[in-house]
Amino acid sequence: MKEITAVIRPDKMEVVKEALQEIQCNGVTVTEVKGRGRQLGITESYRGRDYKVDLLPKTRLEIIVNDEDVDSVVDTIVKTAQTGDIGDGKIFVSPVEEVIRIRTGERGEKAV
Amino acid sequence: MKEITAVIRPDKMEVVKEALQEIQCNGVTVTEVKGRGRQLGITESYRGRDYKVDLLPKTRLEIIVNDEDVDSVVDTIVKTAQTGDIGDGKIFVSPVEEVIRIRTGERGEKAV
Amino acid sequence: MKEITAVIRPDKMEVVKEALQEIQCNGVTVTEVKGRGRQLGITESYRGRDYKVDLLPKTRLEIIVNDEDVDSVVDTIVKTAQTGDIGDGKIFVSPVEEVIRIRTGERGEKAV
Amino acid sequence: MVDAILNSGDTAWMLTSTALVMLMTLPGVALFYGGLTKKENVLNTIFLSFMAFSITSVIWVIYGYPIAFGTDVMGIIGSPTNILMNGIDVNALAPLAPTIPLLVYVAFQMTFAAITVALVSGAIVERMKFSAWLAFVPIWITLVYLPIAHWVWGGGWLAQMGVLDFAGGTVVHLNAGIAALALVLLLGKRKDIRLLPHNLGYSVIGAALLWFGWFGFNAGSALSAGGLAGSAFLATNTATAAALISWVMMDVIKTGKPTLLGAISGAIAGLVAITPAAGFVTVGGAIVIGFLVSIFCYIAISTVKSKFGYDDALDVFGIHGVGGAWGALATGIFAAPFVNSLGTGALYGNPGQIVTQLIGIAVVGVYTLIMTLIIGVVIDKTIGLRVELKEEVEGLDTHLHEESGYRI
Amino acid sequence: MVDAILNSGDTAWMLTSTALVMLMTLPGVALFYGGLTKKENVLNTIFLSFMAFSITSVIWVIYGYPIAFGTDVMGIIGSPTNILMNGIDVNALAPLAPTIPLLVYVAFQMTFAAITVALVSGAIVERMKFSAWLAFVPIWITLVYLPIAHWVWGGGWLAQMGVLDFAGGTVVHLNAGIAALALVLLLGKRKDIRLLPHNLGYSVIGAALLWFGWFGFNAGSALSAGGLAGSAFLATNTATAAALISWVMMDVIKTGKPTLLGAISGAIAGLVAITPAAGFVTVGGAIVIGFLVSIFCYIAISTVKSKFGYDDALDVFGIHGVGGAWGALATGIFAAPFVNSLGTGALYGNPGQIVTQLIGIAVVGVYTLIMTLIIGVVIDKTIGLRVELKEEVEGLDTHLHEESGYRI
Amino acid sequence: MVDAILNSGDTAWMLTSTALVMLMTLPGVALFYGGLTKKENVLNTIFLSFMAFSITSVIWVIYGYPIAFGTDVMGIIGSPTNILMNGIDVNALAPLAPTIPLLVYVAFQMTFAAITVALVSGAIVERMKFSAWLAFVPIWITLVYLPIAHWVWGGGWLAQMGVLDFAGGTVVHLNAGIAALALVLLLGKRKDIRLLPHNLGYSVIGAALLWFGWFGFNAGSALSAGGLAGSAFLATNTATAAALISWVMMDVIKTGKPTLLGAISGAIAGLVAITPAAGFVTVGGAIVIGFLVSIFCYIAISTVKSKFGYDDALDVFGIHGVGGAWGALATGIFAAPFVNSLGTGALYGNPGQIVTQLIGIAVVGVYTLIMTLIIGVVIDKTIGLRVELKEEVEGLDTHLHEESGYRI
Ligand SMILES: Nc1ncnc2c1ncn2[C@@H]1O[C@H](COP(=O)(O)OP(=O)(O)O)[C@@H](O)[C@H]1O
Ligand SMILES: Nc1ncnc2c1ncn2[C@@H]1O[C@H](COP(=O)(O)OP(=O)(O)O)[C@@H](O)[C@H]1O
Ligand SMILES: Nc1ncnc2c1ncn2[C@@H]1O[C@H](COP(=O)(O)OP(=O)(O)O)[C@@H](O)[C@H]1O
């Protein structure tokens, strides 16, 4: 099993979510985060002074999938979250050793 | 060392926290997240229109433990966070290669 | 590739961020979290009653780096985030198997 | 006796005062309470005040006003003429305030009824059924508020006995505090009884608007724009400031730290306590009344409440009940005849006034307690008072109203 | 005829009323709207009201007042004398309100102009260029508001025809509602047209301050502190409460759950509908007007709007347009000559008033619609009405103002 | 000379005005400032205003009023009779406003003292010890505010010299601005001096309530409900609107983007500048005064402040100091004798008034600066002015008050 972590533009959340649903990938945990990558920050100004805000709002998705689903999920996210402009975000895939469904106590692949 | 990530119902947070404390598992990092699993969303209505809110508030716990403690922590969470209804949440276990305590610079198991 | 997760004091965020920038480590995803470690909680009181608030605000940094950069990043964080008092926080390092840059679809080390 | 001639200055002040008292409920009480609850219940809490105000508004013009303030029938009740304000000329003057139009007086008194029942909601938040509240409001106004208002202000038997209540220590605050207590005895404790305000800023806005609006409440109760209104205004502000300071002092003594919630709680306590006394006492009296009320309320909340274990969520009994009773009693002590010839307290040679005041407190307390318990039991048996546990734990906003307070 | 002598009581009430109406826009409308938008647009939404109020304030004292209320020129427009209030003595009394200073009257009327254009902003939020708004406000005030105010209130042809509008059902609400509709037809739909309020607490504060300030709006429109003001005050509150209750009922009927947004929307609808009628109807009439308006608005918003598909973001047309038209019509039905001798409605034997009211509604509706469309098109061709898609999607606050609403 | 007879209209307006000015501090200033600080300090910031208002309220009725407004002693100070309002009859009229009750006048003036010291708090937020503030308020009111109020308004030597200050350009705003400067010089810079408002919505509500309340402040300073109040009202609104617009213009010129914080800052600057002039100038004068003040304040804040490097956190000196001085000077230029016979400015043939005004500005500025520095140093040596670094960095709310602003 793998954990796919995707950091995307907040306004892409809706379409990504729908696209994932279409490929039967329902489970997801979402966090509002701030981030910095290649994208330059924005400026906010208060009473004539500029402040650089270099951490921009992003949405972080955490999706646990079985190994065979990694590629389709990653592709779906890339396809739907891409605008081609800097700031589109990133996806990381990491190993997961065990998954437990709290409601039933089931473990492993069937718990995903 | 392992990272245990548990996504639970927000209102279960208190009891889970206390149960973990009892088994001497004190370190925990908590994030307010939103999530979707098998649980259907809820509906909110504004001026007569219904809007489906399919991401529900959840609480995400991140706990780093030594290998031998994984089972007791997981069991404790399952036991205390379970209601039996859909929406109880999930637990994921992943490998951690190194832990550093910032205050002292200690590394490895004694830093957990 | 590795994922470095650092949980630090919120008021150290600014200096850590700058220090990371200096060593060319720009990519980072930041989450406001609450946590507990060895640090005791604080007390809040309302109408004469005390409530223990044992989860304190922390800032969680998630940084994906190539293997060779792990040490310099960890060292930089430890150096800048340390106060020596309890509550300084922790760093965890975990394996990452794949990284994808959404904008370009690039994968692997060059996507970091 | 004042001549029954329209005075435009008095009318201007009473129109303003009426608007000010309206503001106390919406958004005053609504925000004050809304900020103190959990974020999952903020909308429900606010909603209770909006429904209280609206239902009372409609009832009042239909039959509420004449029952409370119509021609007295044996000291018990007003005669229900003028249903829907029928037969009241636009230019008719108020019998009890002969320099202002009767319709202004009607509106002014309406806002008092509305805030009284809105105050009760603070005790029962986070667990009462919304439908039960919708039933409670009109029944309670009719069976509890209207009679008591008549007895004390409408020329009823307590008024005839000489009970002093300038702006509502017994009619409004003690009344609301006791009703709150009755309801929480029936409702029982919430699963999570902690008081961890989710947004103190709302409570600050609410408290400040209450303070502001209370000038209409108290100085407006002079029913004219003259010296007495000025005196009541200054007494109100002084007592409030003193009470704020003494609550902060209590905080420091007890926990070592002054709290903002303590400060605004003290301000409200001070406003409550000075209410029955505002038009009777000197600023010296106001300072004493204000300074002491916070001490009494603080003890009631931090000691008595935990001892008896009732779950008066936002301390309606602890602040309005205790503060209203103290204010009513203090009026019997500090009323100065040179401030207002209608009231002479113990300090100025009339100890009997204390007894009269205690009778007023006891009558209102007992009547409200019994009647509210009866109303509560009836609603419990029919509609049910309490929401499902799951709804309570996950929050009333999404469950009862399909809304959420914040999307930030 | 009232004697032209300064009456300090009337003046006190009109000073107060003017301040109250100012509060309706800032922060009333600003917050009511600000709470309903997405958090990324909260500042921009609030900003629109601030600019509307400020630009109108300056225009009004330069040339707005005389054009609307100066000596009538052929029923069409006032004569533009007294530029910058020149030649108006501090102690001069208002020709149309001879017991109060003219400058007070000028200030009072200014707040009406300002809120009218501020109301329009609710429809166009989340996508209109800020610069386009800055251009729209002065042009629209000059070409639309000033003439209409003159026709109905300044002694113009509609006034001469006998159109009744106590406090602005046609001049303010219908006018704003139709202008809103015209603008959204030009602007088109937002990419995300959902109404998911980001902070209902703000909207609650805004709605409550609107309610509070509306007492100045309606009871202030009596232009004196007497029986008529009292009657308008009570009618206003009663209709509002009734409308709140009936909107909540509609919610329960349609979705099974009462909502707080429904409650405050109903309150606003009730305030809108009673506005033209406040000084003409009994509380009985007020209850009917209020109760029905929520039903009409609810249907307009939940059915008509989705059928036609225009994106009236915060339902300015649905509430102010529909509610204002209904109120204007209802005035022709319920106006009671014993409340105010200036108006007799169908119910009291004068069915012709309904026709007169319909003419008023039609004239204002058509004139506003056409003029606003023209103004909108001109601005679109020059400045452009709509922001870039990217700015819309990511939010106007950071893109247009380099600010963000929350750092919580 | 006005006859010393109670005028109920004047009294109604002054009661209302007093309530309005109270609202300016609570929650006006409290929220305006609270929204601009970091979320970790929001409660502490609000708390400072609450304590300022409450302490001043109590002091004022004990000895403050007679010292400022009692019988003049050699132009320096009022004679401290009437301690605790003793000997003041409820129906006594105010010597300086003979148509309203003295107690109303006392309450009105109290609110001015309270807001002045509350304004100071904006400069010292996020780092001053709470206990130090509790000591500062009563000492500063006694040693700085009371004498200055006496000199300018209580018949003292500046009044005798002919210094014009209608509603507090020198007494309130310049005074607060200079005191703020003195304190920040002693306190030093915060570790993080950025101005990143955590909740601009609060500041918007605060600013709007300030605007609203300021009608009581300025039009109330006419002390009667007549033409002068109307003129002051309109001048106030006009200058405010003009200043809002010109600050937004400065924003566009400097950064290319209009900001909402700029808009509300401009509004406050406009209100400050028109304060001393409100009852003396035409609306034309008001536009000029308002338009220019934002330019002056903008430059002071964006250039002068960064040059000298003092940490006036929320720009109390930059807005109230600079704006108050400009307003006081502008009064000497624009005062029109046909608006108010008591003041003739340079533009109407009396250039000497400019000199008089400059003397007033200089005297108040120097006296306040020196006295506040002395008071500050004494408090620093005894209680200590500044919190621990750790408390500052982690936030004052949890450290000083064991509370937190949000649980959202
Ligand atoms: N190395 C990294 N580690 C953690 N998060 C990252 C990293 N790089 C990018 N991110 C996250 O992805 C978001 C978008 O990054 P972006 O600016 O698009 O970078 P890039 O163009 O390099 O993909 C960032 O705001 C940040 O949250
Ligand atoms: N595959 C998944 N990946 C990430 N998070 C998940 C996944 N499945 C469930 N979750 C998280 O757990 C929460 C509860 O899920 P739940 O509805 O109980 O699912 P299940 O019944 O399948 O366990 C979700 O809201 C989501 O945050
Ligand atoms: N075992 C753990 N698992 C997850 N998070 C932890 C753990 N230990 C500490 N943390 C996080 O680090 C933060 C700081 O911990 P701290 O009190 O400094 O612990 P220590 O002194 O043990 O390093 C905590 O608030 C928590 O967020």
Side-chain angles (χ1 to χ4, degrees), chain D residues 7 198-199 237 257-258 260, chain F residues 8 57 110 202 399 403 407:
Chain D
N7 179 316
H198 89 279
N199 193 344
N237 191 70
K257 310 257 170 160
L260 182 57
Chain F
S8 66
S57 289
M110 180 275 292
Y202 280 179
H399 278 287
E403 293 183 296
R407 221 171 238 108

Side-chain angles (χ1 to χ4, degrees), chain B residues 26-30 62-65 101-103 111-112, chain C residues 7 33-39 56 58 85-90 92:
Chain B
N26 283 313
V28 58
T29 298
V30 179
E62 203 172 354
I63 307 171
I64 309 299
V65 293
R101 167 168 292 133
I102 295 178
R103 174 164 52 91
V112 170
Chain C
V7 183
V33 298
K34 295 184 169 174
R36 188 169 78 177
R38 301 228 172 141
Q39 189 179 16
L56 298 176
K58 297 282 165 188
D85 285 343
I86 248 172
D88 275 353
K90 254 177 208 163
F92 319 127

Side-chain angles (χ1 to χ4, degrees), chain A residues 7 35-39 58 86-90 92, chain C residues 27-29 62-64 101 103:
Chain A
V7 182
R36 189 169 78 177
R38 301 229 172 139
Q39 188 180 19
K58 297 283 166 189
I86 247 171
D88 276 355
K90 257 180 205 157
F92 319 127
Chain C
V28 58
T29 298
E62 202 172 357
I63 306 171
I64 308 300
R101 168 168 291 133
R103 173 164 53 93

Side-chain angles (χ1 to χ4, degrees), chain E residues 65-285:
Chain E
Y65 170 74
I67 291 188
F69 292 92
T71 321
D72 180 57
V73 178
M74 299 182 346
I76 303 289
I77 205 75
S79 79
T81 48
N82 305 119
I83 297 300
L84 261 170
M85 302 289 115
N86 261 329
I88 298 182
D89 190 75
V90 167
N91 293 308
L93 300 180
L96 296 165
T99 63
I100 66 169
L102 176 48
L103 292 179
V104 173
Y105 185 77
V106 170
F108 183 63
Q109 289 299 343
M110 181 275 292
T111 57
F112 280 65
I115 196 171
T116 306
V117 66
L119 284 173
V120 175
S121 71
I124 54 84
V125 291
E126 305 201 312
R127 62 199 187 286
M128 187 164 174
K129 274 192 185 172
F130 193 68
S131 51
W133 180 250
L134 296 188
F136 177 79
V137 170
I139 301 176
W140 190 85
I141 285 285
T142 306
L143 299 184
V144 182
Y145 186 84
L146 295 184
I148 291 179
H150 182 76
W151 301 345
V152 181
W153 287 339
W157 66 283
L158 289 174
Q160 290 165 20
M161 271 188 59
V163 170
L164 298 178
D165 188 354
F166 193 71
T170 51
V171 179
V172 174
H173 296 288
L174 178 63
N175 196 356
I178 299 286
L181 187 64
L183 276 187
V184 299
L185 292 177
L186 296 173
L187 266 171
K189 281 189 172 192
R190 288 163 299 160
K191 208 172 151 52
D192 174 5
I193 63 160
R194 293 176 307 166
L195 177 66
L196 292 170
H198 89 280
N199 193 344
L200 265 179
Y202 280 180
S203 301
V204 163
I205 302 175
L209 292 179
L210 280 163
W211 192 334
F212 173 65
W214 223 294
F215 292 129
F217 202 86
N218 285 3
S221 289
L223 300 169
S224 61
L228 185 59
S231 180
F233 193 114
L234 196 60
T236 299
N237 191 71
T238 305
T240 308
L244 185 151
I245 292 170
S246 73
W247 194 302
V248 169
M249 262 183 39
M250 290 299 287
D251 259 344
V252 173
I253 292 170
K254 173 111 191 274
T255 73
K257 310 257 171 159
T259 66
L260 182 57
L261 175 59
I264 59 178
S265 304
I268 302 299
L271 289 160
V272 166
I274 197 64
T275 293
F280 293 115
V281 302
T282 64
V283 295

Side-chain angles (χ1 to χ4, degrees), chain A residues 2-4 25-30 61-66 99-104 106 110-112, chain B residues 6-9 33-40 54-59 85-92:
Chain A
K2 303 289 177 201
E3 178 186 25
I4 301 173
C25 168
N26 284 312
V28 58
T29 298
V30 180
L61 312 183
E62 202 172 356
I63 306 171
I64 308 299
V65 293
N66 289 326
V99 174
I100 302 101
R101 168 167 292 132
I102 295 178
R103 174 165 52 93
T104 56
E106 286 165 294
K110 64 181 181 303
V112 170
Chain B
V7 182
I8 63 172
R9 293 180 191 274
V33 298
K34 294 184 169 175
R36 189 169 78 177
R38 301 226 173 143
Q39 189 181 18
L40 293 173
D54 52 5
L55 292 176
L56 298 177
K58 298 282 167 190
T59 298
D85 286 341
I86 248 171
D88 275 354
K90 261 187 197 150
I91 304 176
F92 320 127

Side-chain angles (χ1 to χ4, degrees), chain D residues 7-10 12-13 16 20 39 196-202 204-205 207-209 211-212 215 219 224-231 233-234 237-238 240-242 244-245 248 255 257-264 283-284 287 338-340 406 408, chain F residues 6-9 11-12 15-16 18-20 22-23 26-27 30-31 42-44 46-47 50-51 53-55 57-58 60-62 84-85 89-91 101 103-104 106-107 110 130 134 202 205 209 212 398-408:
Chain D
N7 179 316
S8 66
D10 291 349
W13 173 236
T16 304
L20 287 174
K39 74 164 186 292
L196 290 170
H198 89 279
N199 193 344
L200 265 179
Y202 280 179
V204 163
I205 301 175
L209 292 180
W211 192 333
F212 172 65
F215 292 130
S224 60
L228 185 60
S231 181
F233 194 114
L234 197 59
N237 191 70
T238 305
T240 307
L244 185 152
I245 292 171
V248 170
T255 72
K257 310 257 170 160
T259 66
L260 182 57
L261 176 58
I264 59 177
V283 296
I287 291 181
F338 51 87
V339 170
N340 186 331
Y406 302 91
I408 299 188
Chain F
L6 180 85
N7 178 315
S8 66
T11 304
L15 287 165
T16 304
T18 307
L20 287 174
M22 174 267 163
L23 190 72
L26 306 181
L31 283 179
V42 56
L43 300 181
N44 177 265
I46 289 172
F47 211 164
F50 272 82
M51 294 313 304
F53 191 88
S54 299
I55 294 173
S57 289
V58 173
W60 193 258
V61 295
I62 299 183
L84 261 170
M85 302 289 116
D89 189 75
V90 168
N91 292 309
L103 293 179
V104 174
V106 170
M110 180 275 292
F130 193 67
L134 296 188
Y202 280 179
I205 301 174
L209 292 180
F212 173 65
T398 47
H399 278 287
L400 304 192
H401 311 300
E402 294 189 338
E403 293 183 296
S404 48
Y406 302 90
R407 221 171 238 108
I408 299 187

